[in-house]
Amino acid sequence: MKCSSIIYIENKERKSWIYTTNGIYKTNKLISELIKKLDEKIFVRVYKSFIINLKYVHIIGDNELSLYNSDEKIPISRTYKKELIDKYINLKEGEIV
């Protein structure tokens, strides 16, 4: 599975569910383990149980966001919001150059 196909990762029921453009995969790895293996420029933790791919961000709201290719509304924790905004801006600025 290519990292670019990952839309988001959700931790639930003591498993990590990886939502991709090709389907959904389940792993026993902790979300804290997975975030260390992903490209920190495009993946960001936005809530205790969610990692998102910044390239799929559609709308960032006050306390949730929506992603392209997903109907899920992802919550945003105040703990992670500044990092989300900073990384999103850096990614978009890099695409412009």
Side-chain angles (χ1 to χ4, degrees), residues 32-43:
S32 57
E33 292 175 63
L34 294 172
I35 192 75
K36 291 175 186 174
K37 296 178 186 248
L38 296 167
D39 183 346
E40 64 184 29
K41 291 178 188 152
I42 61 169
F43 288 94

Side-chain angles (χ1 to χ4, degrees), residues 5-48:
S5 70
I6 297 172
I7 302 168
Y8 70 96
I9 300 170
E10 179 181 13
N11 185 274
K12 62 182 177 183
E13 302 166 1
R14 296 186 181 171
K15 306 266 188 241
S16 290
W17 299 79
I18 303 170
Y19 295 81
T20 74
T21 55
N22 303 318
I24 302 169
Y25 303 88
K26 181 171 60 170
T27 180
N28 290 326
K29 293 195 182 283
L30 299 172
I31 204 162
S32 57
E33 292 175 63
L34 294 172
I35 192 75
K36 291 175 186 174
K37 296 178 186 248
L38 296 167
D39 183 346
E40 64 184 29
K41 291 178 188 152
I42 61 169
F43 288 94
V44 63
R45 194 168 187 173
V46 294
Y47 199 76
K48 64 183 176 185

Side-chain angles (χ1 to χ4, degrees), residues 12-91:
K12 62 182 177 183
E13 302 166 1
R14 296 186 181 171
K15 306 266 188 241
S16 290
W17 299 79
I18 303 170
Y19 295 81
T20 74
T21 55
N22 303 318
I24 302 169
Y25 303 88
K26 181 171 60 170
T27 180
N28 290 326
K29 293 195 182 283
L30 299 172
I31 204 162
S32 57
E33 292 175 63
L34 294 172
I35 192 75
K36 291 175 186 174
K37 296 178 186 248
L38 296 167
D39 183 346
E40 64 184 29
K41 291 178 188 152
I42 61 169
F43 288 94
V44 63
R45 194 168 187 173
V46 294
Y47 199 76
K48 64 183 176 185
S49 55
F50 285 94
I51 297 169
I52 58 123
N53 183 334
L54 292 168
K55 292 188 175 194
Y56 289 93
V57 170
H58 178 59
I59 298 171
I60 299 174
D62 288 334
N63 56 7
E64 69 179 19
L65 59 85
S66 62
L67 301 168
Y68 292 108
N69 295 21
S70 173
D71 295 330
E72 183 81 22
K73 296 291 184 196
I74 309 289
I76 303 171
S77 165
R78 285 183 297 196
T79 305
Y80 300 108
K81 188 160 187 178
K82 181 178 178 347
E83 181 182 9
L84 165 65
I85 300 298
D86 290 347
K87 285 187 174 186
Y88 185 73
I89 290 169
N90 287 339
L91 178 72

